[in-house]
Amino acid sequence: MGRISPYSSPESELEIKIQSRQSDPHPVGGPRPRHHNHPPRSPPPPPYQPFKKWFPWLVPNIVVINIILFVIAMYINNCPDHSAKCIGTSTLGRFAFQSTKENPLLGPSAATLQKIGALEVTEVVEHHEVWRLASCMWLHAGVFHIIANMLSLLFVGIRLEQEFGFVRIGLLYVIAGIGGSLSSSLFVRRTISVGASGALFGLLGAMLSELLVNWTIYENKLQALLTLLLIIIINLSVGILPHVDNFAHLGGFVTGFLLGFVLLIRPQYGWVSRRKVPAGYMAPSSKSKYKTYQYIMLTVALILLISGFTVGLVLLLVGVDGNDHCSWCHYMSCVPTRFWNCEARCSTSQEGNQVNMTCMQNHKSKLYILGNGNSTAQIQKLCIDLCS
């Protein structure tokens, strides 16, 4: 149900050093040296600084907004009034959690999440509620879910905002989150989805492309690349666990990776030095702000982004199920082992409020009568019970 993406914190320790480039500027029209053996030293231009230090205020505010929205979701959920089994009713009152059988993450019910903006393919396709692609990334399934995501956001996001500013990181976070939702909606058809992990994986993807597009200015580039790749592989591997929406992770990562070539590109050394050199001194010449390979990467990434979002939205709105065209893709989100079963999958045929359901794992079948309320959330719960 949730997009749970526990991050390891090594990315917060990842240090990337900028190459130091020595220049020997010559004074223009200065006083002649008195001794030929000891010419006067001219002051060098300021060292290359690819970015200025920004004060990170956006990322902490995103964390606060997510926490506030989770509290609002629990208030709307009001478990004691809608369920006989709640956790912490005597202490939390209407903020009590659903039972662990219904929500093991300590949070609201699926029906509540669907009501306030969770990603549900049926609502997007049949009622054209495309806004759910963005709203779902601000909701979380439970306490454990939001803690994992917000700690990861603080570790990764603050550092990126300090380097690139709130505008670029804000755009990157939102667009990558939508990209993750779009990918999820094309393959996760029978359950609702919430969480910010698509946006978080977008930040990781952008860190990788930023390193590649600005490759020439880094000193410890190979070490930084290997460390970042290890962090990404570990986090993506978590997605093969059950109840984790790895399609949102993959979609957010690819979107962020492409956006990094567009939003996190840095000017080359000579262009920056020429702008910052003191008056009267010569600076390294540079005809262009960016190198040729940077322009190529930016153009290709922009084309892929626009075409990917366009094709993805068209396929989603016409009701295309990605699983029908890729029989093995579900293994990208969950790999069954002897230690766990993957998310319950059921085939259903519905007529009115009657649903005939068959579990794809144990082949059990049963006829259910749906009550009033969200049918998708009810079917999801019944499928879990049937397959358990």
Side-chain angles (χ1 to χ4, degrees):
M1 179 173 60
R3 309 178 184 182
I4 308 169
S5 54
Y7 283 71
S8 52
S9 59
E11 63 263 38
S12 62
E13 304 296 331
L14 183 60
E15 180 183 1
I16 301 177
K17 297 179 181 179
I18 305 298
Q19 286 186 356
S20 57
R21 305 195 180 188
Q22 301 294 333
S23 58
D24 186 19
H26 301 284
V28 179
R32 294 183 179 181
R34 295 181 181 179
H35 304 283
H36 295 285
N37 294 333
H38 301 285
R41 291 178 176 269
S42 57
Y48 175 57
Q49 295 180 348
F51 58 85
K52 70 175 183 178
K53 208 73 169 179
W54 296 77
F55 178 77
W57 62 268
L58 179 63
V59 169
N61 274 279
I62 292 176
V63 173
V64 172
I65 291 172
N66 277 274
I67 294 174
I68 291 175
L69 290 175
F70 179 73
V71 173
I72 293 174
M74 293 305 303
Y75 179 85
I76 296 173
N77 186 65
N78 195 7
C79 181
D81 282 1
H82 300 94
S83 178
K85 296 181 180 180
C86 301
I87 299 176
T89 303
S90 59
T91 304
L92 300 175
R94 70 179 295 152
F95 293 94
F97 305 116
Q98 298 293 135
S99 65
T100 53
K101 183 178 181 180
E102 183 175 355
N103 187 345
L105 301 175
L106 297 182
S109 66
T112 298
L113 292 172
Q114 189 275 339
K115 179 181 178 181
I116 61 178
L119 178 59
E120 184 182 14
V121 177
T122 303
E123 297 294 332
V124 176
V125 175
E126 295 182 1
H127 302 104
H128 301 290
E129 296 181 356
V130 184
W131 52 269
R132 290 181 180 270
L133 295 174
S135 63
C136 65
M137 61 184 287
W138 302 94
L139 303 175
H140 288 82
V143 173
F144 298 133
H145 190 194
I146 192 171
I147 288 177
N149 276 351
M150 293 304 101
L151 286 178
S152 301
L153 176 58
L154 289 173
F155 280 128
V156 180
I158 284 183
R159 178 190 164 204
L160 284 175
E161 187 179 352
Q162 286 176 333
E163 294 184 7
F164 296 99
F166 70 94
V167 174
R168 285 187 279 184
I169 299 307
L171 288 173
L172 175 60
Y173 182 86
V174 173
I175 298 175
I178 296 174
S181 299
L182 184 57
S183 172
S184 173
S185 61
L186 290 173
F187 291 94
V188 182
R189 313 285 293 188
R190 298 179 178 87
T191 61
I192 66 172
S193 181
V194 293
S197 55
L200 294 173
F201 271 86
L203 297 181
L204 283 179
M207 289 177 66
L208 178 60
S209 57
E210 187 272 328
L211 178 61
L212 296 176
V213 76
N214 302 314
W215 183 259
T216 57
I217 71 172
Y218 287 126
E219 183 180 69
N220 58 337
K221 57 190 73 175
L222 184 59
Q223 176 188 351
L225 178 62
L226 294 177
T227 304
L228 187 55
L229 285 175
L230 178 61
I231 294 170
I232 292 170
I233 291 172
I234 291 174
N235 282 279
L236 285 175
S237 299
V238 175
I240 66 174
L241 296 173
H243 308 298
V244 179
D245 186 358
N246 207 33
F247 287 109
H249 298 177
L250 293 169
F253 177 82
V254 172
T255 303
F257 179 74
L258 294 175
L259 278 171
F261 292 115
V262 178
L263 296 176
L264 306 187
I265 188 172
R266 289 171 171 163
Q268 56 178 308
Y269 173 77
W271 187 87
V272 175
S273 298
R274 185 178 59 185
R275 290 171 60 89
K276 293 186 176 182
V277 71
Y281 292 91
M282 296 179 62
S285 61
S286 176
K287 297 181 180 179
S288 176
K289 183 176 181 179
Y290 301 109
K291 292 183 178 293
T292 303
Y293 80 92
Q294 290 178 305
Y295 280 115
I296 295 175
M297 288 180 169
L298 186 152
T299 304
V300 172
L302 201 56
I303 293 173
L304 291 176
L305 267 174
I306 296 173
S307 59
F309 267 80
T310 302
V311 172
L313 279 173
V314 171
L315 293 177
L316 173 62
L317 294 178
V318 298
V320 173
D321 187 346
N323 299 288
D324 295 338
H325 305 278
C326 182
S327 59
W328 55 267
C329 282
H330 63 277
Y331 290 115
M332 298 174 65
S333 185
C334 180
V335 177
T337 68
R338 63 176 182 173
F339 300 105
W340 65 73
N341 291 322
C342 289
E343 186 176 351
R345 296 170 60 87
C346 299
S347 62
T348 60
S349 59
Q350 185 174 353
E351 184 176 350
N353 64 340
Q354 294 184 350
V355 176
N356 188 16
M357 186 177 299
T358 302
C359 177
M360 305 294 288
Q361 295 169 344
N362 56 26
H363 303 290
K364 292 181 180 179
S365 297
K366 193 172 182 179
L367 181 65
Y368 294 97
I369 306 297
L370 299 179
N372 296 327
N374 176 33
S375 60
T376 302
Q378 294 182 55
I379 292 174
Q380 178 182 346
K381 185 176 184 301
L382 293 172
C383 179
I384 294 173
D385 293 338
L386 184 62
C387 293
S388 61

